[in-house]
Amino acid sequence: MPADRTGPQRTGTSVARHSAARTVVVWDALRDVLAADRSASVVDIGGGTGGFAVRVAELGHRVTVIDPSPDALAILARRAEESGVADLVSARQGDLDSLLDLVPPGSADVLLCHGVLEIVDDSATALHTLAQVLRPGGVLSLLVNQRHAAVVARAMAGHFVQARALLDGPGDGAPRRFTAEEVTALLSGAGFDTTALHGVRVFVDLVPSSLVELEPGSAGALLELEKAVATRPEYLPLATQLHALATRR
Ligand SMILES: C[S@@+](CC[C@H](N)C(=O)[O-])C[C@H]1O[C@@H](n2cnc3c(N)ncnc32)[C@H](O)[C@@H]1O
């Protein structure tokens, strides 16, 4: 992973600014998708503590979060309560294998799968399962780690052996990282049409946070830069993550 320069000296505001720069591209894309529907049925598989789910519910949509971690779901419930959207958020303990037991097939308008595909055994099978949860025409928001940026980050940190090993894919049992071509091929094979592909965290993980914090206006400018490069194909290999929007055929 690129260097995370989070240190004890960082303030809550600066952490929030960095977090905004990390998520702005995904959130903007998702908000546009959700704007098409006043009250969508949204499923967030591996939604964890609800960083996205609660924001989606704040827009008036019904969100079912499925996650194997009871601790994460407890935090999600508290967050939803504090944000006044507990009635719109339901938390179900489960995982990708039990997804179709927890959510009726063809019932979701929008499905979030952020940071999960890299930790399941078989990403192609997982995407086939996700396709069954969505109604035809429903939209998948998929966020995965990107391989090329991870190679560069390891090399820049002096971990040349690790960088070399990552070049051709992960070792046994290691989290997967995907290229843009792999993501679109996997989506197509599972019955999705990719409608947008975004590079996420192209610069934010590379820039020391002190640089962003000391210069007035830097945080906002970095955010705008992340948004500007997100859809430029030449920057995709530099992005820590790839975000795809894909429609179920
Ligand atoms: C990297 S976190 C991502 C959390 C959240 N989606 C986000 O973007 O902030 C991965 C999440 O996937 C969950 N998870 C792990 N294995 C899973 C599986 N087999 N199926 C579904 N979720 C899983 C974890 O409990 C964790 O909450």
Side-chain angles (χ1 to χ4, degrees), residues 45-48 67-69 95-96 114-116 119-120:
I45 178 74
D67 200 284
S69 163
D95 59 17
L96 253 163
H114 294 174
V116 178
I119 51 181
V120 297

Side-chain angles (χ1 to χ4, degrees), residues 54 74-89:
V54 169
I75 295 171
L76 160 73
R78 199 166 60 233
R79 271 178 139 171
E81 190 72 48
E82 285 167 4
S83 301
V85 292
D87 56 327
L88 290 173
V89 177

Side-chain angles (χ1 to χ4, degrees), residues 26-141:
V26 179
W27 180 245
D28 280 4
L30 202 50
R31 206 175 31 207
D32 287 350
V33 167
L34 291 166
D37 199 332
R38 201 182 275 189
S39 176
S41 171
V42 180
V43 174
D44 189 353
I45 178 74
T49 58
F52 273 92
V54 169
R55 290 177 77 179
V56 169
E58 284 172 341
L59 295 176
H61 306 288
R62 291 161 285 119
V63 192
T64 302
V65 177
I66 294 160
D67 200 284
S69 163
D71 291 344
L73 293 177
I75 295 171
L76 160 73
R78 199 166 60 233
R79 271 178 139 171
E81 190 72 48
E82 285 167 4
S83 301
V85 292
D87 56 327
L88 290 173
V89 177
S90 40
R92 312 287 300 273
Q93 192 175 356
D95 59 17
L96 253 163
D97 289 339
S98 57
L99 180 60
L100 290 168
D101 299 330
L102 298 171
V103 180
S107 64
D109 299 308
V110 178
L111 176 56
L112 276 54
C113 180
H114 294 174
V116 178
L117 207 61
E118 39 283 80
I119 51 181
V120 297
D121 291 338
D122 182 343
S123 33
T125 303
L127 283 171
H128 275 100
T129 304
L130 297 182
Q132 291 179 63
V133 169
L134 279 168
R135 63 165 172 77
V139 176
L140 170 66
S141 169

